[in-house]
Amino acid sequence: MSYAVVRASLVPSPSPPPLRLNQNGSLSSPNNASQNTGGGGGGGGCAEGPTHNTSMPTVSASGYKWRLVIAYDGTRYAGWQYQQSPPTIQCIMEKALTRATKIERKDLRLVGASRTDTGVHAWGQVAHFVTPFNYDSLDSIHAALNGLLPIDIRVREISPAVPEFHARFSAISKVYHYKIYNDAIMDPFQRLCAHHSTYKLNTALMREAASYLIGKHDFSAFVNASRNDRVPNPVKNIFRFDVIELEALLQLEVEGSGFLYRQVRNMVALLIQIGKGAIPPDIVPLILTSRDRKELAKYALSAPPHGLCLVNVRYNEEHLQLPSGCPKTSFGRQHTVRKCKLPFY
């Protein structure tokens, strides 16, 4: 199964005037003709070292911004949001970036598009970070990061982004998939990424129930108590909610403008109960109207996290253009063997 890859970078703003990075690592105005505007030299190298670039993209006072597309198996991690113990994806990513760029965590300012929870996976998590220097090529830093990361976390893309881009706040929609293995015996190869249901689920009922969730609603009844700084608007817009049968595997695909804490897992849990025939599909609008989490709790608890995967984060089409004077997007190096080096016998 293939998924569309998001390319996220915003068109440079015409103001304020762009700053340039000097050879000594300082930033200066382009009006200062005595300064060198080359891209190499300053503040700490990376795995390949910042290289000279005479055609510079727009840079803010904070430096150059870079977008990452990250895939990870969330089984061993306590979600995305930074904490050292137990480890999180952001923590592991920042350690790798710190080693590759020689920049401190506070200066990298890594931000993720979605704060996935403990045990939740991702194929298309988007994040950004900043450096005080520019790159001529992103292939080496890309290879360095994946060499430093554990095998259950991989950077799929690195691309430049203009200062206005923000991985989280520039997003217009997010796509999540939830997998249910619907058979008497669990496929052991699916055990870490699919929830096992031994009940034969009625997909027609599940689709009817999912249709009630499409559109703009107050999803207060589907949100768990907020934590940390999460105080979101409970009104979200669900663009689609599909129930797809792939033999024994059911894949629930939901795309929305945003999601509340555990909203997707709570919606899936209700659809599972409806699929079992325990409650009718028309219970969904009644729960929505209640705006009360206790009302949902009468019928369903949250679905397990390991079935959930963040597949894609989408941005406006104009945001996908790369800024001028920047290195190309890196999708990783493809190695080939041109000549057999083994002796013939």
Side-chain angles (χ1 to χ4, degrees):
M1 181 177 297
S2 63
Y3 304 109
V5 175
V6 180
R7 315 225 191 292
S9 59
L10 304 182
V11 178
S13 171
S15 63
L19 300 177
R20 303 295 188 189
L21 188 69
N22 301 321
Q23 288 183 338
N24 62 4
S26 63
L27 291 167
S28 65
S29 167
N31 297 326
N32 188 346
S34 65
Q35 296 292 344
N36 188 314
T37 58
C46 60
E48 62 176 354
T51 52
H52 185 76
N53 186 351
T54 57
S55 179
M56 301 289 288
T58 302
V59 56
S60 69
S62 61
Y64 298 86
K65 186 172 286 187
W66 311 98
R67 180 188 62 86
L68 304 170
V69 177
I70 310 166
Y72 50 84
D73 177 345
T75 303
R76 300 193 303 124
Y77 303 101
W80 166 267
Q81 195 69 1
Y82 182 86
Q83 67 180 43
Q84 293 189 357
S85 181
T88 63
I89 305 296
Q90 185 178 5
C91 178
I92 301 298
M93 282 297 308
E94 287 182 352
K95 287 181 179 179
L97 283 166
T98 298
R99 290 184 61 185
T101 63
K102 304 299 187 292
I103 299 174
E104 296 296 326
R105 172 181 179 261
K106 62 181 178 64
D107 298 319
L108 287 168
R109 290 178 297 188
L110 181 69
V111 176
S114 179
R115 300 175 180 181
T116 55
D117 293 320
T118 299
V120 175
H121 314 297
W123 172 251
Q125 172 74 283
V126 177
H128 73 256
F129 69 99
V130 296
T131 62
F133 47 75
N134 188 29
Y135 291 102
D136 275 336
S137 172
L138 294 172
D139 286 343
S140 294
I141 185 68
H142 194 172
L145 284 175
N146 281 337
L148 292 166
L149 290 167
I151 60 174
D152 50 5
I153 304 175
R154 279 293 172 267
V155 175
R156 294 175 49 221
E157 290 183 33
I158 304 181
S159 67
V162 295
E164 294 85 353
F165 172 75
H166 193 283
R168 183 180 176 191
F169 297 124
S170 299
I172 60 172
S173 76
K174 298 172 185 176
V175 180
Y176 283 90
H177 289 183
Y178 194 95
K179 294 182 179 180
I180 304 168
Y181 196 79
N182 194 200
D183 198 20
I185 305 298
M186 180 63 179
D187 180 348
F189 297 103
Q190 299 280 351
R191 73 189 190 283
L192 298 180
C193 60
H195 168 54
H196 184 208
S197 174
T198 57
Y199 293 91
K200 185 59 179 176
L201 300 176
N202 186 324
T203 55
L205 293 178
M206 295 173 72
R207 289 189 185 97
E208 181 184 345
S211 68
Y212 292 115
L213 296 167
I214 297 172
K216 186 176 288 187
H217 305 285
D218 185 325
F219 284 95
S220 296
F222 289 86
V223 60
N224 282 27
S226 297
R227 63 180 186 180
N228 300 331
D229 61 342
R230 299 184 183 186
V231 189
N233 181 353
V235 177
K236 303 296 177 184
N237 193 359
I238 303 298
F239 305 128
R240 66 182 180 93
F241 203 145
D242 302 323
V243 179
I244 300 171
E245 296 180 76
L246 304 169
E247 296 182 349
L249 193 67
L250 295 184
Q251 185 162 282
L252 279 60
E253 302 183 1
V254 57
E255 179 177 1
S257 59
F259 297 96
L260 303 167
Y261 179 45
R262 293 194 180 176
Q263 178 185 339
V264 176
R265 288 165 57 191
N266 288 333
M267 292 190 299
V268 168
L270 183 62
L271 293 189
I272 291 174
Q273 292 301 315
I274 292 170
K276 292 178 181 178
I279 48 179
D282 57 9
I283 197 71
V284 176
L286 298 178
I287 294 174
L288 279 170
T289 304
S290 75
R291 301 180 184 179
D292 186 355
R293 178 67 179 85
K294 294 179 181 178
E295 188 65 24
L296 175 63
K298 296 177 182 178
Y299 307 101
L301 302 176
S302 291
H306 66 280
L308 186 61
C309 181
L310 172 63
V311 171
N312 203 355
V313 183
R314 294 191 169 128
Y315 301 86
N316 285 324
E317 194 66 32
E318 59 268 24
H319 295 171
L320 308 184
Q321 302 176 34
L322 296 177
S324 60
C326 65
K328 294 180 180 180
T329 298
S330 173
F331 299 99
R333 289 171 173 163
Q334 185 72 43
H335 296 280
T336 59
V337 177
R338 295 185 179 179
K339 184 177 180 180
C340 182
K341 297 180 180 181
L342 295 176
F344 294 94
Y345 295 100

